[in-house]
Amino acid sequence: MSFYLYLLAGFGAGLLGGMGMGGGTLLIPVLTIFLGVEQHIAQAANLVAFLPMAAFSLSAHKKSGLLRTDGVLSVVIPAAVTSIAGGLIASLLPAMILRRFFGLFLLFLAFRGAAKLKLTP
Amino acid sequence: MSKLSKKFIIFAANAKTYFKMVKVNSKRLKSALAGGLTGAVNGLFGGGGGMVAVPILKNMLGYDDKQAHATAILIIAPVCAVSAIVYILSGYFSWQVIIPASLGTVAGGLAGAALLQKLPEFIINITFIVVMFAAGLRMLF
């Protein structure tokens, strides 16, 4: 039963992600709020779930010629290094604390999105 | 003319070039620092790095909006793979969650990409803000 619930959660998060909303970030609140998944487990699931989606998107973007690579390495390499540090810090934090930080991060993204909103559709 | 003053004249003539070199390096340095922030956020929160990477590509490397969204995935994918390994090695791993959630995400993502063509951007943005705000509040308290 829970297999289908997780499948549904992934579908909902992927649906919004596919429309360009926050990548896979929404899978985490869906898993923790509605299905009671532990914060770290949900974050790990989001990281892995993003990979096949990224492969699909990248091949589509490559065809449409939107991918650029100039200057990308100078972003990717430091990002990969600090992501190890970020992951280690997360693994040391208690789930409740990490969950609150994550909540703050979502609020920040929501406010940033609202600030950029154009009121004339 | 003394050797020293000759050297000085050459230096002064090349000043513009030196300045350009420093400028290019500071652009590199800025994008490296911003990349570091992207990775730290993505590692700590298990996602969301793309939301940091898109403005970097637009503002620092001069990408347009669509290019930035496409290329952000190229940046985030290896970063996610690296942090996923850290989580897995730390013991935070559940096949029961990951397999169905990944399958669902791919299916939903394909459906979402198709829907994207049909819905107005304004509606998508409002939905995003409301969902993120509600989820953020729920997780904070």
Side-chain angles (χ1 to χ4, degrees), chain A residues 4-16 27 30-31 35 49, chain B residues 100-109:
Chain A
Y4 295 103
L5 288 176
Y6 295 138
L7 193 71
L8 194 67
F11 188 84
L15 193 67
L16 292 172
L27 181 60
V30 171
L31 286 176
L35 302 176
Chain B
S102 303
L103 288 173
T105 304
V106 171

Side-chain angles (χ1 to χ4, degrees), chain A residues 43 46 68 70 82 100 112, chain B residues 36 44 46 51 63 67 87:
Chain A
Q43 293 190 183
N46 185 50
R68 279 175 66 173
D70 50 302
T82 53
R100 292 210 169 106
R112 200 181 68 174
Chain B
L44 184 62
M51 308 287 285
Y63 285 32
Q67 288 171 340
Y87 277 78

Side-chain angles (χ1 to χ4, degrees), chain B residues 8-141:
Chain B
F8 179 77
I9 289 172
I10 293 171
F11 176 83
N14 285 325
K16 211 175 167 186
T17 320
Y18 299 136
F19 187 68
K20 253 188 202 159
M21 277 164 69
V22 172
K23 217 174 163 187
V24 166
N25 285 336
S26 81
K27 189 178 161 188
R28 273 280 148 85
L29 183 69
K30 265 190 204 162
S31 55
L33 286 175
L37 179 70
T38 305
V41 164
N42 206 75
L44 184 62
F45 295 131
M51 308 287 285
V52 183
V54 169
I56 294 173
L57 293 171
K58 277 165 69 175
N59 302 332
M60 289 184 184
L61 298 177
Y63 285 32
D64 74 32
D65 201 55
K66 281 186 173 171
Q67 288 171 340
H69 275 92
T71 309
I73 302 172
L74 188 66
I75 291 173
I76 291 307
V79 173
C80 280
V82 170
S83 23
I85 292 169
V86 176
Y87 277 78
I88 292 166
L89 292 180
S90 308
Y92 294 113
F93 195 70
S94 160
W95 283 115
Q96 287 99 317
V97 179
I98 285 178
I99 292 176
S102 303
L103 288 173
T105 304
V106 171
L110 296 174
L115 258 180
L116 179 63
Q117 326 284 336
K118 305 220 166 83
L119 285 176
E121 202 190 331
F122 187 72
I123 303 286
I124 293 176
N125 288 341
I126 292 276
T127 313
F128 169 70
I129 291 165
V130 171
V131 170
M132 296 295 246
F133 186 75
L137 275 188
R138 182 71 185 77
M139 293 179 91
L140 189 57
F141 300 109

Side-chain angles (χ1 to χ4, degrees), chain A residues 9-87:
Chain A
F11 188 84
L15 193 67
L16 292 172
M19 290 195 268
M21 285 183 247
T25 326
L26 285 170
L27 181 60
I28 297 166
V30 171
L31 286 176
T32 57
I33 294 172
F34 295 112
L35 302 176
V37 174
E38 200 264 354
Q39 184 71 25
H40 295 87
I41 302 277
Q43 293 190 183
N46 185 50
L47 288 169
V48 178
F50 178 72
L51 295 175
M53 200 59 236
F56 275 109
S57 309
L58 284 178
S59 70
H61 286 313
K62 194 159 185 249
K63 268 184 209 148
S64 61
L66 285 172
L67 275 188
R68 279 175 66 173
T69 50
D70 50 302
V72 158
L73 267 188
S74 65
V75 183
V76 168
I77 294 169
V81 173
T82 53
S83 79
I84 297 176

